[in-house]
Amino acid sequence: MSLTLYAHPFSSYCQKVLVALYENDVPFELRLLADDERIAAEHRALRPFARMPVLVDDGRTVVESSIIIEHLALRHRGPVRLIPEDARVALDVRSMDRVFDNYVS
């Protein structure tokens, strides 16, 4: 298992993904998008519009924080369920996720 996360420390979207990774103790490499042009170039090669976060999982690129969290729940499930198993309750969680992303952040 090889996970690499391209993220900026001040991005709330990146913070969401970091919470998911740390809550379930998922090992990953953090590539900070701050002042390192080499890391920024790697990031742009993966996502030309330079949006973040970007997760690379064994060669597969996954983008957008909520999708990354869903991907982690499927591929790297840990003891903490961030998305409820009950589909109806999961809809409420996803709805609140969208509200916070689109209106609060």
Side-chain angles (χ1 to χ4, degrees):
M1 166 180 39
S2 171
L3 290 175
T4 304
L5 178 67
Y6 291 84
H8 192 280
F10 300 145
S11 166
S12 61
Y13 299 108
C14 296
Q15 292 298 320
K16 279 175 50 175
V17 173
L18 287 169
V19 166
L21 289 162
Y22 289 135
E23 272 300 305
N24 282 304
D25 201 25
V26 177
F28 69 100
E29 177 187 358
L30 179 59
R31 306 288 284 161
L32 279 178
L33 297 165
D35 295 325
D36 190 326
E37 184 51 43
R38 192 178 81 254
I39 294 172
E42 291 172 16
H43 178 241
R44 279 191 307 275
L46 294 166
R47 191 137 193 228
F49 292 118
R51 297 292 209 187
M52 60 192 145
V54 172
L55 181 76
V56 179
D57 184 358
D58 284 330
R60 179 179 181 172
T61 301
V62 185
V63 300
E64 206 281 318
S65 59
S66 298
I67 301 303
I68 292 171
I69 291 168
E70 298 248 2
H71 174 85
L72 291 171
L74 291 171
R75 297 267 330 243
H76 304 280
R77 182 171 290 181
V80 179
R81 290 198 52 95
L82 299 173
I83 301 165
E85 188 129 7
D86 181 313
R88 290 183 182 139
V89 178
L91 285 176
D92 292 336
V93 169
R94 286 184 180 94
S95 177
M96 290 305 297
D97 175 67
R98 301 315 321 141
V99 167
F100 281 100
D101 279 356
N102 293 321
Y103 303 107
V104 177
S105 287

